[in-house]
Amino acid sequence: MSFLQITLVSNAIFSFATGLSLILFHNAIATWFGKQNPTIFWIIGLGLLYFSYSIIVEIRNPKPHAVFYIIIQDFIWVLASLVIVLIKPFNLSVPGYQIIATVSFIVLAFGIGQSIGLGKIDTINNEGLKRLTYERIINATKENTWKVISDVSNYHNVAPNIESVTIISGKGKDMVRSCTHKTGSWTEVATLWKEGEQYEFQVNTDAKDYPFPLKFLKGTWKVETVSKHETKITMVFDFVFKQKIYNILIYPLMKKKFNKTCEELLDNWENIL
């Protein structure tokens, strides 16, 4: 179990236990807080039970964007608790404020722990290198599949995130191509080319108009025979963000969008074949 999964499990257990306690013992808890009406406590309890469920569904295979939303909710709880303790808008008892402060510190610990764990999702080394892999088995021969995916000058016709591609120089290894996106442009160099097998392109992320917050990006495209009329296409993307904080703030939504882009790319190749 990863560090992220451990923090998610801990958060789910704590949220469930707290929510259940608020529901079962709302009258006693209302007395501790110096309130006559216990309704708000079991309402909060129900909300915490639902929150714990939303965490539980992510424990086995955490999705970055879902974990990000869990973290945001934790920090909102902490900020709301801070406002209540400092401003005291509800005229609660001293033990009530102490309970709120204690719970907020625990929730803050979960939020920080989950943030650390989120930053490590898909990371494969200590330098922050992330790797995303996409695979598809299609009904086509390896030879025909290679012809389609190695047509790198027409990559923009199948990749929804690329508007145009121009071969600047070379062929095979050391080929240089220029790519444009609706918000910028850059060049890429073929660092590997094994005819009929695989190729790699490394992106010049230092380009003036490069539109993404990455300091390193390399893509690998490979074909493998599965059977006489079946071929597996594999795409691997290795990248590093310019700032470590982007692993938490940008990556969750970026991965969700990039997953969709790569699935559409594979769909387009499969339709051609």
Side-chain angles (χ1 to χ4, degrees):
M1 185 175 287
S2 68
F3 177 76
L4 175 58
Q5 290 173 312
I6 292 173
T7 56
L8 288 173
V9 168
S10 301
N11 196 356
I13 292 174
F14 180 77
S15 298
F16 180 83
T18 303
L20 189 62
S21 297
L22 288 171
I23 293 171
L24 296 179
F25 309 111
H26 54 273
N27 286 318
I29 293 173
T31 301
W32 297 346
F33 277 73
K35 291 295 179 180
Q36 298 297 320
N37 188 350
T39 304
I40 186 62
F41 296 100
W42 63 258
I43 291 177
I44 295 175
L46 289 174
L48 286 173
L49 292 183
Y50 177 78
F51 179 62
S52 67
Y53 170 77
S54 70
I55 299 174
I56 290 170
V57 298
E58 294 301 323
I59 291 173
R60 185 172 183 179
N61 185 28
K63 295 183 290 294
H65 69 278
V67 175
F68 180 74
Y69 290 135
I70 290 171
I71 293 170
I72 291 298
Q73 291 175 79
D74 280 334
F75 285 134
I76 289 175
W77 179 285
V78 173
L79 289 175
S81 298
L82 184 63
V83 169
I84 292 173
V85 170
L86 293 180
I87 299 179
K88 296 180 172 58
F90 301 119
N91 191 30
L92 304 178
S93 66
V94 173
Y97 288 120
Q98 291 174 341
I99 292 172
I100 291 174
T102 300
V103 171
S104 69
F105 276 118
I106 296 173
V107 174
L108 177 62
F110 290 144
I112 293 173
Q114 290 162 167
S115 297
I116 294 172
L118 175 60
K120 295 180 179 179
I121 288 183
D122 299 320
T123 301
I124 61 174
N125 65 19
N126 294 329
E127 283 69 47
L129 182 71
K130 288 186 178 294
R131 174 170 292 171
L132 293 176
T133 302
Y134 303 90
E135 298 179 341
R136 175 79 61 86
I137 295 176
I138 61 173
N139 294 317
T141 64
K142 181 180 178 183
E143 180 182 4
N144 289 338
T145 303
W146 173 257
K147 288 179 180 178
V148 170
I149 76 161
S150 65
D151 186 10
V152 296
S153 62
N154 288 311
Y155 190 65
H156 58 291
N157 292 326
V158 289
N161 60 330
I162 304 295
E163 292 193 348
S164 68
V165 174
T166 302
I167 303 300
I168 297 176
S169 64
K171 183 180 180 180
K173 189 176 183 297
D174 298 324
M175 178 198 308
V176 179
R177 69 178 180 179
S178 173
C179 300
T180 63
H181 180 270
K182 60 183 179 180
T183 59
S185 62
W186 63 90
T187 58
E188 302 178 353
V189 179
T191 55
L192 172 69
W193 193 283
K194 292 184 179 180
E195 187 63 29
E197 300 289 338
Q198 66 175 320
Y199 61 89
E200 295 179 351
F201 274 97
Q202 184 168 324
V203 176
N204 176 21
T205 58
D206 293 325
K208 183 178 179 180
D209 294 333
Y210 186 65
F212 305 111
L214 304 173
K215 66 178 181 180
F216 173 79
L217 172 61
K218 181 182 72 174
T220 303
W221 291 260
K222 179 167 60 175
V223 294
E224 298 174 276
T225 298
V226 176
S227 66
K228 186 176 180 180
H229 298 292
E230 288 185 316
T231 304
K232 182 168 75 172
I233 300 174
T234 302
M235 301 188 298
V236 180
F237 298 94
D238 295 325
F239 57 95
V240 179
F241 283 106
K242 290 182 178 179
Q243 303 292 336
K244 289 184 178 181
I245 192 65
Y246 294 161
N247 290 295
I248 299 172
L249 299 181
I250 295 178
Y251 184 59
L253 299 181
M254 172 190 148
K255 182 178 181 180
K256 184 178 182 180
K257 184 175 182 180
F258 194 62
N259 285 348
K260 181 180 179 181
T261 297
C262 288
E263 288 300 319
E264 187 174 340
L265 168 59
L266 291 169
D267 287 342
N268 291 337
W269 271 335
E270 188 169 13
N271 291 334
I272 292 173
L273 290 163

Short mmCIF file of all heavy atoms in Angstrom, two decimals, residues 213-256:
data_model
loop_
_atom_site.label_atom_id
_atom_site.label_comp_id
_atom_site.label_asym_id
_atom_site.label_seq_id
_atom_site.Cartn_x
_atom_site.Cartn_y
_atom_site.Cartn_z
N PRO A 213 3.81 23.55 -18.93
CA PRO A 213 4.72 23.80 -17.79
C PRO A 213 5.68 22.63 -17.52
O PRO A 213 5.79 22.16 -16.40
CB PRO A 213 3.77 24.02 -16.62
CG PRO A 213 2.61 23.14 -16.93
CD PRO A 213 2.45 23.19 -18.43
N LEU A 214 6.35 22.15 -18.57
CA LEU A 214 7.24 21.00 -18.45
C LEU A 214 8.67 21.40 -18.77
O LEU A 214 8.90 22.20 -19.69
CB LEU A 214 6.80 19.88 -19.40
CG LEU A 214 5.36 19.37 -19.26
CD1 LEU A 214 5.05 18.39 -20.38
CD2 LEU A 214 5.15 18.73 -17.90
N LYS A 215 9.62 20.84 -18.04
CA LYS A 215 11.02 21.08 -18.36
C LYS A 215 11.65 19.90 -19.10
O LYS A 215 12.77 20.01 -19.60
CB LYS A 215 11.83 21.40 -17.11
CG LYS A 215 11.97 20.28 -16.10
CD LYS A 215 12.84 20.74 -14.93
CE LYS A 215 13.03 19.64 -13.90
NZ LYS A 215 13.87 20.09 -12.76
N PHE A 216 10.91 18.78 -19.17
CA PHE A 216 11.37 17.63 -19.94
C PHE A 216 10.16 16.84 -20.40
O PHE A 216 9.21 16.64 -19.65
CB PHE A 216 12.27 16.72 -19.10
CG PHE A 216 12.64 15.43 -19.78
CD1 PHE A 216 13.64 15.39 -20.74
CD2 PHE A 216 11.97 14.25 -19.48
CE1 PHE A 216 13.97 14.21 -21.39
CE2 PHE A 216 12.29 13.06 -20.11
CZ PHE A 216 13.30 13.05 -21.07
N LEU A 217 10.20 16.39 -21.68
CA LEU A 217 9.13 15.55 -22.21
C LEU A 217 9.69 14.68 -23.33
O LEU A 217 10.32 15.18 -24.26
CB LEU A 217 7.98 16.40 -22.74
CG LEU A 217 6.88 15.64 -23.50
CD1 LEU A 217 6.22 14.60 -22.61
CD2 LEU A 217 5.84 16.61 -24.06
N LYS A 218 9.47 13.38 -23.20
CA LYS A 218 9.87 12.43 -24.24
C LYS A 218 8.72 11.46 -24.47
O LYS A 218 8.12 10.96 -23.53
CB LYS A 218 11.12 11.65 -23.82
CG LYS A 218 11.60 10.65 -24.88
CD LYS A 218 12.82 9.87 -24.41
CE LYS A 218 12.46 8.87 -23.34
NZ LYS A 218 13.60 7.99 -22.96
N GLY A 219 8.42 11.22 -25.75
CA GLY A 219 7.38 10.27 -26.10
C GLY A 219 7.96 9.09 -26.84
O GLY A 219 8.87 9.25 -27.66
N THR A 220 7.43 7.90 -26.55
CA THR A 220 7.86 6.67 -27.21
C THR A 220 6.65 5.98 -27.81
O THR A 220 5.62 5.82 -27.13
CB THR A 220 8.56 5.72 -26.23
OG1 THR A 220 9.67 6.38 -25.63
CG2 THR A 220 9.04 4.46 -26.94
N TRP A 221 6.77 5.56 -29.07
CA TRP A 221 5.69 4.85 -29.76
C TRP A 221 6.23 3.51 -30.23
O TRP A 221 7.29 3.45 -30.87
CB TRP A 221 5.18 5.66 -30.94
CG TRP A 221 4.46 6.91 -30.56
CD1 TRP A 221 3.11 7.10 -30.49
CD2 TRP A 221 5.05 8.17 -30.19
NE1 TRP A 221 2.82 8.39 -30.09
CE2 TRP A 221 4.00 9.07 -29.91
CE3 TRP A 221 6.37 8.63 -30.07
CZ2 TRP A 221 4.21 10.38 -29.53
CZ3 TRP A 221 6.59 9.94 -29.68
CH2 TRP A 221 5.52 10.81 -29.41
N LYS A 222 5.52 2.42 -29.95
CA LYS A 222 6.04 1.08 -30.23
C LYS A 222 4.92 0.17 -30.73
O LYS A 222 3.77 0.30 -30.30
CB LYS A 222 6.68 0.50 -28.97
CG LYS A 222 7.24 -0.89 -29.11
CD LYS A 222 8.13 -1.26 -27.92
CE LYS A 222 7.38 -1.23 -26.61
NZ LYS A 222 8.21 -1.70 -25.48
N VAL A 223 5.28 -0.76 -31.64
CA VAL A 223 4.32 -1.76 -32.11
C VAL A 223 4.88 -3.15 -31.82
O VAL A 223 6.09 -3.40 -31.95
CB VAL A 223 4.01 -1.62 -33.61
CG1 VAL A 223 3.28 -0.31 -33.88
CG2 VAL A 223 5.28 -1.69 -34.45
N GLU A 224 4.01 -4.06 -31.40
CA GLU A 224 4.40 -5.44 -31.10
C GLU A 224 3.35 -6.39 -31.65
O GLU A 224 2.16 -6.13 -31.57
CB GLU A 224 4.52 -5.65 -29.59
CG GLU A 224 5.58 -4.81 -28.91
CD GLU A 224 5.54 -4.98 -27.41
OE1 GLU A 224 4.72 -4.29 -26.77
OE2 GLU A 224 6.29 -5.81 -26.88
N THR A 225 3.81 -7.51 -32.20
CA THR A 225 2.90 -8.51 -32.73
C THR A 225 2.23 -9.28 -31.59
O THR A 225 2.89 -9.77 -30.68
CB THR A 225 3.65 -9.51 -33.63
OG1 THR A 225 4.20 -8.79 -34.75
CG2 THR A 225 2.71 -10.58 -34.15
N VAL A 226 0.91 -9.37 -31.65
CA VAL A 226 0.14 -10.16 -30.70
C VAL A 226 -0.23 -11.50 -31.34
O VAL A 226 -0.09 -12.56 -30.72
CB VAL A 226 -1.13 -9.40 -30.25
CG1 VAL A 226 -1.98 -10.27 -29.33
CG2 VAL A 226 -0.75 -8.10 -29.57
N SER A 227 -0.71 -11.43 -32.56
CA SER A 227 -1.01 -12.61 -33.36
C SER A 227 -0.86 -12.22 -34.83
O SER A 227 -0.44 -11.10 -35.13
CB SER A 227 -2.43 -13.12 -33.06
OG SER A 227 -3.40 -12.19 -33.49
N LYS A 228 -1.22 -13.11 -35.72
CA LYS A 228 -1.03 -12.86 -37.14
C LYS A 228 -1.74 -11.60 -37.60
O LYS A 228 -1.24 -10.86 -38.46
CB LYS A 228 -1.53 -14.06 -37.95
CG LYS A 228 -1.25 -13.97 -39.44
CD LYS A 228 -1.69 -15.23 -40.14
CE LYS A 228 -1.39 -15.13 -41.65
NZ LYS A 228 -1.82 -16.37 -42.36
N HIS A 229 -2.90 -11.34 -37.05
CA HIS A 229 -3.68 -10.18 -37.47
C HIS A 229 -3.98 -9.23 -36.30
O HIS A 229 -4.94 -8.46 -36.37
CB HIS A 229 -4.99 -10.63 -38.12
CG HIS A 229 -4.80 -11.45 -39.36
ND1 HIS A 229 -4.30 -10.92 -40.52
CD2 HIS A 229 -5.03 -12.76 -39.59
CE1 HIS A 229 -4.23 -11.86 -41.44
NE2 HIS A 229 -4.66 -13.01 -40.90
N GLU A 230 -3.19 -9.29 -35.26
CA GLU A 230 -3.37 -8.39 -34.11
C GLU A 230 -2.04 -7.77 -33.72
O GLU A 230 -1.01 -8.45 -33.67
CB GLU A 230 -3.96 -9.12 -32.91
CG GLU A 230 -5.42 -9.50 -33.06
CD GLU A 230 -5.97 -10.11 -31.79
OE1 GLU A 230 -5.27 -10.96 -31.18
OE2 GLU A 230 -7.09 -9.75 -31.38
N THR A 231 -2.08 -6.48 -33.42
CA THR A 231 -0.87 -5.74 -33.05
C THR A 231 -1.16 -4.85 -31.85
O THR A 231 -2.25 -4.27 -31.75
CB THR A 231 -0.39 -4.86 -34.22
OG1 THR A 231 -0.19 -5.67 -35.38
CG2 THR A 231 0.91 -4.15 -33.88
N LYS A 232 -0.21 -4.78 -30.96
CA LYS A 232 -0.35 -3.89 -29.80
C LYS A 232 0.43 -2.60 -30.03
O LYS A 232 1.62 -2.63 -30.35
CB LYS A 232 0.15 -4.56 -28.52
CG LYS A 232 -0.02 -3.67 -27.28
CD LYS A 232 0.21 -4.43 -25.99
CE LYS A 232 1.67 -4.71 -25.75
NZ LYS A 232 1.91 -5.27 -24.39
N ILE A 233 -0.27 -1.49 -29.89
CA ILE A 233 0.37 -0.17 -29.93
C ILE A 233 0.61 0.29 -28.50
O ILE A 233 -0.30 0.24 -27.67
CB ILE A 233 -0.52 0.87 -30.65
CG1 ILE A 233 -0.80 0.45 -32.09
CG2 ILE A 233 0.14 2.25 -30.63
CD1 ILE A 233 -1.79 1.37 -32.80
N THR A 234 1.82 0.71 -28.21
CA THR A 234 2.16 1.22 -26.88
C THR A 234 2.71 2.64 -27.02
O THR A 234 3.59 2.89 -27.85
CB THR A 234 3.20 0.34 -26.18
OG1 THR A 234 2.70 -0.99 -26.08
CG2 THR A 234 3.51 0.86 -24.79
N MET A 235 2.18 3.54 -26.21
CA MET A 235 2.69 4.91 -26.15
C MET A 235 3.14 5.18 -24.72
O MET A 235 2.39 4.93 -23.78
CB MET A 235 1.63 5.92 -26.56
CG MET A 235 1.08 5.75 -27.96
SD MET A 235 0.02 7.14 -28.45
CE MET A 235 -1.29 7.02 -27.22
N VAL A 236 4.36 5.68 -24.57
CA VAL A 236 4.90 6.00 -23.25
C VAL A 236 5.35 7.46 -23.26
O VAL A 236 6.10 7.88 -24.15
CB VAL A 236 6.08 5.09 -22.89
CG1 VAL A 236 6.62 5.45 -21.50
CG2 VAL A 236 5.68 3.63 -22.94
N PHE A 237 4.91 8.21 -22.25
CA PHE A 237 5.31 9.61 -22.14
C PHE A 237 6.00 9.83 -20.80
O PHE A 237 5.42 9.58 -19.75
CB PHE A 237 4.08 10.52 -22.26
CG PHE A 237 3.39 10.42 -23.59
CD1 PHE A 237 2.32 9.55 -23.76
CD2 PHE A 237 3.84 11.16 -24.67
CE1 PHE A 237 1.69 9.43 -25.00
CE2 PHE A 237 3.21 11.05 -25.91
CZ PHE A 237 2.14 10.18 -26.07
N ASP A 238 7.27 10.26 -20.86
CA ASP A 238 8.06 10.59 -19.68
C ASP A 238 8.20 12.10 -19.60
O ASP A 238 8.56 12.74 -20.59
CB ASP A 238 9.45 9.96 -19.75
CG ASP A 238 9.39 8.44 -19.72
OD1 ASP A 238 8.52 7.90 -19.03
OD2 ASP A 238 10.23 7.80 -20.39
N PHE A 239 7.94 12.68 -18.43
CA PHE A 239 8.00 14.13 -18.33
C PHE A 239 8.29 14.57 -16.90
O PHE A 239 8.08 13.84 -15.94
CB PHE A 239 6.70 14.77 -18.81
CG PHE A 239 5.47 14.30 -18.08
CD1 PHE A 239 4.97 15.00 -17.00
CD2 PHE A 239 4.82 13.14 -18.48
CE1 PHE A 239 3.84 14.56 -16.32
CE2 PHE A 239 3.68 12.69 -17.81
CZ PHE A 239 3.20 13.40 -16.73
N VAL A 240 8.79 15.80 -16.80
CA VAL A 240 9.09 16.43 -15.50
C VAL A 240 8.52 17.84 -15.54
O VAL A 240 8.74 18.57 -16.52
CB VAL A 240 10.61 16.49 -15.22
CG1 VAL A 240 10.87 17.18 -13.87
CG2 VAL A 240 11.21 15.10 -15.24
N PHE A 241 7.82 18.24 -14.50
CA PHE A 241 7.29 19.60 -14.41
C PHE A 241 8.39 20.59 -14.07
O PHE A 241 9.39 20.25 -13.44
CB PHE A 241 6.19 19.68 -13.34
CG PHE A 241 4.87 19.12 -13.76
CD1 PHE A 241 4.42 17.91 -13.27
CD2 PHE A 241 4.06 19.80 -14.66
CE1 PHE A 241 3.20 17.37 -13.65
CE2 PHE A 241 2.84 19.29 -15.06
CZ PHE A 241 2.41 18.06 -14.55
N LYS A 242 8.18 21.83 -14.49
CA LYS A 242 9.15 22.89 -14.19
C LYS A 242 9.20 23.19 -12.70
O LYS A 242 10.26 23.55 -12.17
CB LYS A 242 8.79 24.16 -14.98
CG LYS A 242 9.02 24.02 -16.47
CD LYS A 242 8.68 25.32 -17.20
CE LYS A 242 8.96 25.18 -18.70
NZ LYS A 242 8.62 26.41 -19.44
N GLN A 243 8.07 23.08 -12.03
CA GLN A 243 8.00 23.32 -10.59
C GLN A 243 7.35 22.11 -9.91
O GLN A 243 6.36 21.57 -10.41
CB GLN A 243 7.17 24.58 -10.29
CG GLN A 243 7.68 25.85 -10.94
CD GLN A 243 9.01 26.30 -10.37
OE1 GLN A 243 9.34 25.97 -9.22
NE2 GLN A 243 9.76 27.07 -11.14
N LYS A 244 7.89 21.70 -8.76
CA LYS A 244 7.37 20.51 -8.07
C LYS A 244 5.91 20.69 -7.65
O LYS A 244 5.15 19.72 -7.63
CB LYS A 244 8.23 20.21 -6.85
CG LYS A 244 9.62 19.68 -7.19
CD LYS A 244 10.39 19.30 -5.93
CE LYS A 244 11.75 18.71 -6.27
NZ LYS A 244 12.51 18.33 -5.04
N ILE A 245 5.52 21.92 -7.33
CA ILE A 245 4.16 22.17 -6.88
C ILE A 245 3.14 21.83 -7.96
O ILE A 245 1.98 21.53 -7.68
CB ILE A 245 3.99 23.63 -6.41
CG1 ILE A 245 2.66 23.83 -5.67
CG2 ILE A 245 4.10 24.58 -7.60
CD1 ILE A 245 2.58 23.06 -4.39
N TYR A 246 3.58 21.83 -9.24
CA TYR A 246 2.68 21.51 -10.34
C TYR A 246 2.21 20.05 -10.28
O TYR A 246 1.17 19.72 -10.84
CB TYR A 246 3.35 21.77 -11.68
CG TYR A 246 3.65 23.24 -11.96
CD1 TYR A 246 4.57 23.60 -12.93
CD2 TYR A 246 2.99 24.24 -11.26
CE1 TYR A 246 4.85 24.94 -13.19
CE2 TYR A 246 3.26 25.58 -11.51
CZ TYR A 246 4.19 25.92 -12.47
OH TYR A 246 4.46 27.25 -12.74
N ASN A 247 2.99 19.19 -9.61
CA ASN A 247 2.59 17.80 -9.45
C ASN A 247 1.28 17.70 -8.67
O ASN A 247 0.55 16.71 -8.81
CB ASN A 247 3.68 17.01 -8.71
CG ASN A 247 4.91 16.82 -9.56
OD1 ASN A 247 4.88 16.14 -10.57
ND2 ASN A 247 6.02 17.40 -9.14
N ILE A 248 1.00 18.72 -7.86
CA ILE A 248 -0.23 18.73 -7.07
C ILE A 248 -1.29 19.63 -7.70
O ILE A 248 -2.46 19.24 -7.81
CB ILE A 248 0.07 19.22 -5.64
CG1 ILE A 248 1.07 18.28 -4.95
CG2 ILE A 248 -1.21 19.33 -4.82
CD1 ILE A 248 1.57 18.78 -3.62
N LEU A 249 -0.88 20.81 -8.16
CA LEU A 249 -1.85 21.80 -8.62
C LEU A 249 -2.30 21.59 -10.06
O LEU A 249 -3.44 21.92 -10.40
CB LEU A 249 -1.25 23.21 -8.48
CG LEU A 249 -0.88 23.65 -7.06
CD1 LEU A 249 -0.34 25.07 -7.09
CD2 LEU A 249 -2.10 23.56 -6.14
N ILE A 250 -1.42 21.08 -10.92
CA ILE A 250 -1.73 20.97 -12.34
C ILE A 250 -1.96 19.53 -12.80
O ILE A 250 -2.87 19.25 -13.57
CB ILE A 250 -0.61 21.62 -13.19
CG1 ILE A 250 -0.56 23.12 -12.92
CG2 ILE A 250 -0.81 21.34 -14.67
CD1 ILE A 250 0.54 23.83 -13.66
N TYR A 251 -1.13 18.61 -12.28
CA TYR A 251 -1.16 17.25 -12.80
C TYR A 251 -2.51 16.55 -12.71
O TYR A 251 -2.91 15.85 -13.65
CB TYR A 251 -0.09 16.40 -12.10
CG TYR A 251 0.01 15.00 -12.65
CD1 TYR A 251 0.31 14.79 -14.00
CD2 TYR A 251 -0.22 13.88 -11.85
CE1 TYR A 251 0.38 13.50 -14.51
CE2 TYR A 251 -0.15 12.60 -12.36
CZ TYR A 251 0.16 12.42 -13.69
OH TYR A 251 0.22 11.15 -14.21
N PRO A 252 -3.27 16.69 -11.61
CA PRO A 252 -4.55 15.97 -11.53
C PRO A 252 -5.48 16.24 -12.71
O PRO A 252 -6.04 15.31 -13.29
CB PRO A 252 -5.15 16.49 -10.21
CG PRO A 252 -3.96 16.83 -9.39
CD PRO A 252 -2.97 17.41 -10.35
N LEU A 253 -5.65 17.51 -13.07
CA LEU A 253 -6.53 17.84 -14.19
C LEU A 253 -5.85 17.57 -15.52
O LEU A 253 -6.51 17.19 -16.49
CB LEU A 253 -6.96 19.30 -14.09
CG LEU A 253 -7.74 19.66 -12.81
CD1 LEU A 253 -8.14 21.12 -12.83
CD2 LEU A 253 -8.98 18.78 -12.68
N MET A 254 -4.53 17.76 -15.58
CA MET A 254 -3.78 17.50 -16.81
C MET A 254 -3.88 16.03 -17.21
O MET A 254 -4.09 15.70 -18.38
CB MET A 254 -2.32 17.89 -16.63
CG MET A 254 -1.42 17.49 -17.79
SD MET A 254 0.32 17.71 -17.40
CE MET A 254 1.03 16.36 -18.37
N LYS A 255 -3.73 15.12 -16.24
CA LYS A 255 -3.77 13.70 -16.56
C LYS A 255 -5.15 13.31 -17.08
O LYS A 255 -5.26 12.54 -18.05
CB LYS A 255 -3.42 12.85 -15.34
CG LYS A 255 -3.42 11.36 -15.65
CD LYS A 255 -3.03 10.49 -14.47
CE LYS A 255 -3.05 9.01 -14.87
NZ LYS A 255 -2.68 8.12 -13.75
N LYS A 256 -6.19 13.81 -16.47
CA LYS A 256 -7.54 13.49 -16.91
C LYS A 256 -7.75 13.91 -18.36
O LYS A 256 -8.28 13.15 -19.18
CB LYS A 256 -8.56 14.17 -16.00
CG LYS A 256 -10.01 13.80 -16.32
CD LYS A 256 -10.96 14.48 -15.36
CE LYS A 256 -12.40 14.07 -15.66
NZ LYS A 256 -13.37 14.73 -14.72
#
